[in-house]
């Protein structure tokens, strides 16, 4: 109906199971779905050849989505999502982009066998993975990578005591200042105006790191300031006040 959103309820005691006659879906896509509610603590997604999460929101901090027993070579993707912890239980690759993955103070990403690829992601909580490729990502918790001879962390913010593969232009222990830590707040994980420039201008293209990198807010604000100064009449003082 108009102004109504379809809702799928999954029994928290049973999870999502696949019949024995159908051991694996050919593909699984979750798009535009909010997960959460009283008594719901997480869900294991059934094995599939391809798994895609798009515009998915998880409403509880302690909720985990587990991608179990993925065949070798399988790619699971999460794009423009807001989730709790993500677990890649089997082989394969988990690729996350333009998203928030926050399980603080727990483990946000866990992949003991597979590989994890992050592009423009804000990660709250610890990371425990075997192989990691990360670019323009904010890690707000300890990162431990088992295979340090594969992968790379570049243009990212990482705690100094982390165990990493190769690094390139990484900001260690820089303070992360965000507008809100409340996942139900529209400003959740948005960087504050007084956040360190190493983060707000630390991406490869000069924009901010993290989930909002694609908005290029730093460049837009800088361009607006130049135009504002150019067209301000003599004797007047102007400025920009952010209302977060």
């Amino acid at each position: 109906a108009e102004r109504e959103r379809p809702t799928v309820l999954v029994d928290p005691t049973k999870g999502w199971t696949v019949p024995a006659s159908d051991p694996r879906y050919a593909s699984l896509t979750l798009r535009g779905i909010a997960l959460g509610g009283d008594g719901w603590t997480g869900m294991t997604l059934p094995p599939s050849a391809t798994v895609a999460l798009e515009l998915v929101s998880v409403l509880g901090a302690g909720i985990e989505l587990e991608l179990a027993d993925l065949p070798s070579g399988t790619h699971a993707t999460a794009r423009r999502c807001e989730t709790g912890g993500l677990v890649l239980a089997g082989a394969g690759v988990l690729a996350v982009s333009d998203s928030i993955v926050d399980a603080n103070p727990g483990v946000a990403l866990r992949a003991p066998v597979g590989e994890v690829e992050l592009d423009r992601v804000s990660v709250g909580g610890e990371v425990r993975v075997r192989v990691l490729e990360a670019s323009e990502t904010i890690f707000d918790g300890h990162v431990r990578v088992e295979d340090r001879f594969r992968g790379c962390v570049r243009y990212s913010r990482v705690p100094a005591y982390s165990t990493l593969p190769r690094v390139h232009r990484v900001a260690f222990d820089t303070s992360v200042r965000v507008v809100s830590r409340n996942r139900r707040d529209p400003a959740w994980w948005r960087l504050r105006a007084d956040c360190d420039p190493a983060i707000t201008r630390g991406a490869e293209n000069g924009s901010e790191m993290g989930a909002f990198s694609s908005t290029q807010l730093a460049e837009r604000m800088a361009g607006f300031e130049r135009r504002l100064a150019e067209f301000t009449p003599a004797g007047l003082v102007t400025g920009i006040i952010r209302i977060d």
Side-chain angles (χ1 to χ4, degrees), residues 2-65:
E2 187 176 358
R3 297 184 181 275
E4 297 291 337
R5 186 175 187 180
T7 303
V8 178
L9 301 179
V10 179
D11 189 333
T13 63
K14 298 179 180 179
W16 189 339
T17 59
V18 181
S21 59
D22 182 17
R24 184 165 66 100
Y25 290 122
S27 64
L28 174 65
T29 300
L30 302 182
R31 181 182 294 114
I33 297 178
L35 304 173
D38 295 338
W40 199 78
T41 58
M43 180 171 61
T44 299
L45 300 181
S48 305
T50 60
V51 179
L53 307 179
E54 300 177 4
L55 302 170
V56 171
S57 298
V58 176
L59 304 180
I63 295 174
E64 286 189 343
L65 292 181

Side-chain angles (χ1 to χ4, degrees), residues 79-90:
R79 186 176 67 90
R80 299 184 67 184
C81 295
E82 299 175 343
T83 74
L86 293 178
V87 181
L88 181 63

Side-chain angles (χ1 to χ4, degrees), residues 134-137 139 153-158 168-171 209:
S135 179
E136 298 166 347
T137 295
F139 294 98
V153 177
R154 55 194 295 276
Y155 297 99
S156 299
R157 185 272 180 193
V158 186
H168 177 68
R169 296 199 175 184
V170 171
M209 302 174 183

Side-chain angles (χ1 to χ4, degrees), residues 76-139:
T77 61
R79 186 176 67 90
R80 299 184 67 184
C81 295
E82 299 175 343
T83 74
L86 293 178
V87 181
L88 181 63
V93 178
L94 171 61
V96 185
S97 61
D98 301 296
S99 300
I100 301 171
V101 181
D102 193 340
N104 197 31
V107 179
L109 289 165
R110 186 165 66 248
V113 179
E115 303 178 15
V116 174
E117 299 176 355
L118 305 176
D119 287 298
R120 303 172 301 279
V121 182
S122 298
V123 182
E126 299 183 3
V127 175
R128 301 283 183 269
V129 299
R130 179 171 178 79
V131 179
L132 177 64
E133 288 274 359
S135 179
E136 298 166 347
T137 295
I138 299 174
F139 294 98

